[in-house]
């Protein structure tokens, strides 16, 4: 529908505006009623702050303009510094505000993922809206007589440390959860992924001879059911170019036994090739709905003889058949399991899985507590950044000496546009009020205005 397209492609056109146009499509009860706040500051003009306060109340929180609930907003006496420093700081404050807010949101989101419906994130033990409405500058934590740039660095540095700690804790928790999920997957998976020590009981292994000698090794191969047809014949031809069987064969002509023959590098070991699978060694061990498990014995490898180049001997090397055989099997979608049979491993795996679950639960509880604590710290820092923004913008706009009054508006649901227009009309010039009535949000106003959603 047309409203849905607007919502999908124009983020400035929110649900409230769509609801005014199409009230039947988006009933009020279904809207995401996010709470909005405006911080507004105007010059006292040499008059008493109470006059400015009443003017602000009349503009947006009165029976004639019932768009918000208004609260006094404390802005402490901060160090002004030079005009250049204030202008430079003003340019940076919007970015700093955005960065700190993103960290607050990140901590909040992480906390809500863990808390669910079991509790809410608070600021100093109270809900965020109450903290905002009762805001008071923390003079002990953020001394108001420090230079503004240092104060902003102090606040943003503390929040950055929270962000970094969250990344580390989240990364450690994520890695532990991944390890638990992998263990659970192996525990409950089929023969292609499960830990075979959990699957192969002593009864199943009683008639299985497992070789792991200098020359021979027993491999466990899981074959998907759809590839099972013909596998028992194909297995002895897999990797038929790997092993070299050339060289003297006295079993066929024993008459030359003991006579001088070619050896070492003079013998073509690869003139006759074949698979490293030992004939007749295939054995079916177990099966489930998805796969069948076999054992097969293979030659571990083959030594290629060294040779002389003039007076220098070049050492031989060993060819690893197991590695190459596994690769060939993988190309055919046969799964050679990396497995060493250990009868005691099943109980060890169960204990390890239980231990992982305990560690994940412990880390989750710890991260939950951390988020509840540090959300409050980050939120407090965010509000102090906003206060500094109000101070800097007010000084730049109204000049020295510092003489302005700031208030906090808690905007009534869906009244953001109406409140903005009312403030422009009451507090701004006629030109600004006329420009503000075009239905779009303007960046400029004749007064300090900072909007945010906790």
């Amino acid at each position: 529908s047309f409203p849905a397209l607007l919502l999908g492609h124009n983020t400035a056109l929110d649900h409230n505006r769509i609801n005014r146009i199409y009230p039947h499509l988006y009933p009020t009860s279904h809207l995401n009623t996010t709470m909005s706040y405006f911080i507004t500051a105007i010059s006292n003009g040499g008059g008493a702050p109470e006059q400015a306060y009443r003017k602000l109340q009349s503009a947006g929180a009165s029976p004639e303009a019932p768009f918000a609930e208004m609260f006094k907003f404390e802005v402490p006496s901060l160090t002004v510094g030079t005009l250049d420093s204030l202008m430079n700081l003003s340019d940076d404050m919007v970015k700093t505000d955005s960065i700190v807010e993103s960290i607050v949101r990140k901590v909040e989101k992480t906390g809500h993922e863990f808390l669910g419906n079991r509790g809410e994130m608070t600021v100093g033990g109270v809900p965020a809206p109450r903290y905002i409405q009762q805001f008071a500058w923390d003079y002990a934590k953020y001394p108001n007589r420090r230079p503004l740039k240092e104060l902003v660095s102090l606040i943003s540095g503390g929040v950055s440390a929270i962000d970094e700690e969250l990344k580390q804790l989240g990364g450690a928790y994520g890695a532990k959860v991944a390890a638990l999920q992998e263990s659970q997957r192996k525990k409950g998976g089929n023969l292609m992924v499960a830990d075979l020590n959990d699957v192969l009981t002593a009864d199943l292994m009683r008639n299985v001879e497992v070789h792991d000698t200098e020359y021979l090794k027993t491999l466990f191969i899981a074959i998907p059911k759809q590839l099972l047809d013909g596998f028992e014949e194909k297995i002895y031809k897999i990797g038929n170019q790997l092993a070299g069987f050339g060289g003297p064969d006295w079993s066929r002509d024993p008459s030359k036994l003991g006579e001088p023959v070619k050896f070492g590098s003079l013998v073509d070991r690869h003139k006759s090739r074949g698979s490293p699978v030992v004939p007749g060694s295939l054995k079916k061990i177990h099966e489930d709905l998805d796969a069948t498990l076999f054992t097969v014995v293979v030659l571990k490898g083959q030594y290629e003889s060294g040779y002389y180049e003039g007076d220098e001997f070049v050492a031989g090397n060993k060819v690893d058949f197991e590695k190459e055989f596994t690769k060939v099997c993988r190309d055919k979608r046969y799964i050679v399991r990396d497995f060493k049979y250990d009868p005691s491993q099943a109980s060890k795996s169960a204990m390890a899985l239980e231990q992982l679950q305990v560690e994940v639960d412990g880390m989750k509880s710890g991260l939950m507590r951390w988020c509840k604590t540090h959300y409050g710290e980050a939120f407090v820092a965010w509000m102090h950044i906003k206060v500094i923004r109000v101070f800097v913008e007010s000084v730049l706009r109204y000049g020295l000496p510092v003489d302005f009054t700031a208030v906090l508006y808690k905007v009534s649901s869906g009244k953001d546009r109406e409140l903005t227009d009312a403030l422009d009309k009451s507090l701004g010039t006629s030109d600004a009020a006329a420009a503000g009535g075009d239905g779009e949000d303007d960046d400029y106003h004749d007064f300090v205005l900072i909007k945010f959603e906790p």
Side-chain angles (χ1 to χ4, degrees):
S1 65
F2 177 65
L5 289 174
L6 289 176
L7 285 173
H9 297 285
N10 188 351
T11 55
L13 196 57
D14 61 14
H15 275 99
N16 290 327
R17 195 173 302 167
I18 290 294
N19 193 55
R20 292 196 295 272
I21 304 171
Y22 303 94
H24 63 290
L25 292 179
Y26 296 97
T28 304
S29 61
H30 293 159
L31 295 178
N32 181 14
T33 54
T34 303
M35 193 177 298
S36 296
Y37 286 95
F38 290 4
I39 303 175
T40 306
I42 61 172
S43 172
N44 292 329
E50 289 76 11
Q51 293 178 341
Y53 183 83
R54 285 194 294 271
K55 185 177 182 180
L56 288 162
Q57 188 170 39
S58 176
S62 65
E64 296 75 24
F67 306 123
E69 184 180 357
M70 195 178 83
F71 303 87
K72 289 185 177 180
F73 194 72
E74 178 195 353
V75 178
S77 177
L78 301 174
T79 303
V80 174
T82 64
L83 179 62
D84 284 344
S85 66
L86 280 181
M87 293 183 68
N88 291 333
L89 190 60
S90 177
D91 292 338
D92 294 336
M93 286 303 296
V94 176
K95 181 180 178 182
T96 302
D97 191 342
S98 178
I99 292 172
V100 173
E101 180 184 3
S102 71
I103 296 170
V104 171
R105 302 298 186 203
K106 194 184 300 183
V107 177
E108 180 183 33
K109 180 182 177 183
T110 304
H112 280 311
E113 287 175 354
F114 291 128
L115 284 170
N117 297 323
R118 290 173 292 173
E120 64 175 341
M121 310 287 279
T122 61
V123 183
V126 301
R130 187 187 302 177
Y131 170 77
I132 295 170
Q133 292 158 199
Q134 300 174 349
F135 174 80
W137 184 273
D138 189 339
Y139 291 91
K141 192 170 185 179
Y142 306 119
N144 63 307
R145 303 317 298 168
R146 294 185 67 170
L148 282 178
K149 189 172 182 180
E150 289 184 19
L151 198 55
V152 172
S153 296
L154 173 66
I155 297 171
S156 59
V159 179
S160 296
I162 290 175
D163 184 39
E164 185 61 33
E165 190 173 355
L166 178 59
K167 288 178 183 176
Q168 294 176 0
L169 291 173
Y173 176 74
K176 190 66 71 174
V177 169
L180 175 62
Q181 291 173 341
E182 178 66 14
S183 295
Q184 291 172 334
R185 184 181 72 88
K186 289 182 176 180
K187 183 77 173 177
N190 57 35
L191 291 170
M192 292 181 282
V193 296
D195 187 337
L196 294 183
N197 276 310
D198 294 335
V199 177
L200 300 180
T201 63
D203 288 340
L204 289 174
M205 293 298 294
R206 182 170 290 113
N207 298 320
V208 178
E209 188 176 358
V210 179
H211 299 276
D212 191 3
T213 66
E214 185 178 356
Y215 302 106
L216 300 175
K217 184 169 184 179
T218 300
L219 300 180
F220 290 75
I221 307 179
I223 310 300
K225 284 294 178 70
Q226 65 269 25
L227 302 179
L228 197 57
D229 188 34
F231 167 74
E232 296 187 31
E233 291 76 34
K234 296 175 184 175
I235 184 64
Y236 296 109
K237 298 178 182 178
I238 294 178
N240 57 9
Q241 295 299 308
L242 294 179
F245 297 114
D249 186 357
W250 289 298
S251 64
R252 296 183 181 181
D253 187 7
S255 63
K256 295 184 178 180
L257 184 61
E259 294 183 9
V261 295
K262 293 181 180 180
F263 58 90
S265 62
L266 301 177
V267 176
D268 182 5
R269 297 290 300 275
H270 297 287
K271 69 179 180 181
S272 177
R273 292 176 180 267
S275 171
V277 177
V278 175
S281 64
L282 183 69
K283 190 168 187 176
K284 179 179 174 181
I285 302 300
H286 192 45
E287 64 180 326
D288 59 20
L289 294 176
D290 301 312
T292 301
L293 186 68
F294 294 89
T295 60
V296 67
V297 181
V298 298
L299 297 173
K300 272 190 170 181
Q302 181 173 359
Y303 180 75
E304 300 286 351
S305 301
Y307 58 91
Y308 278 96
E309 284 190 358
D311 293 334
E312 184 178 352
F313 180 73
V314 178
N317 64 290
K318 187 174 183 179
V319 180
D320 186 349
F321 290 160
E322 181 185 349
K323 182 178 179 180
E324 294 299 322
F325 178 79
T326 299
K327 182 179 178 181
V328 175
C329 285
R330 185 168 59 246
D331 293 341
K332 296 179 178 293
R333 295 168 57 202
Y334 301 156
I335 313 299
V336 177
R337 301 300 313 277
D338 184 11
F339 166 68
K340 186 172 183 180
Y341 180 62
D342 181 355
S344 65
Q345 191 62 37
S347 59
K348 292 179 182 177
S349 297
M351 291 176 63
L353 183 61
E354 185 177 343
Q355 179 62 28
L356 271 176
Q357 185 65 64
V358 169
E359 290 175 5
V360 167
D361 291 343
M363 292 180 74
K364 181 178 179 180
S365 298
L367 195 49
M368 189 188 307
R369 291 191 299 270
W370 185 94
C371 286
K372 291 180 73 172
T373 300
H374 290 80
Y375 170 74
E377 290 186 21
F379 199 97
V380 167
W382 185 35
M383 283 304 300
H384 282 72
I385 288 291
K386 290 199 175 297
V387 172
I388 295 174
R389 276 189 67 188
V390 172
F391 180 84
V392 171
E393 292 185 23
S394 296
V395 171
L396 289 175
R397 184 180 291 270
Y398 306 129
L400 294 172
V402 177
D403 185 30
F404 64 89
T405 295
V407 298
L408 175 77
Y409 290 108
K410 178 185 177 183
V411 187
S412 300
S413 178
K415 299 296 183 181
D416 300 58
R417 181 72 259 169
E418 288 89 338
L419 178 58
T420 303
D421 292 343
L423 295 178
D424 277 327
K425 184 177 180 180
S426 298
L427 308 177
T429 63
S430 57
D431 292 341
D438 63 358
E440 295 296 330
D441 293 334
D442 298 316
D443 291 333
Y444 179 80
H445 304 274
D446 280 333
F447 47 91
V448 174
L449 178 60
I450 296 175
K451 305 177 181 181
F452 69 101
E453 297 174 354

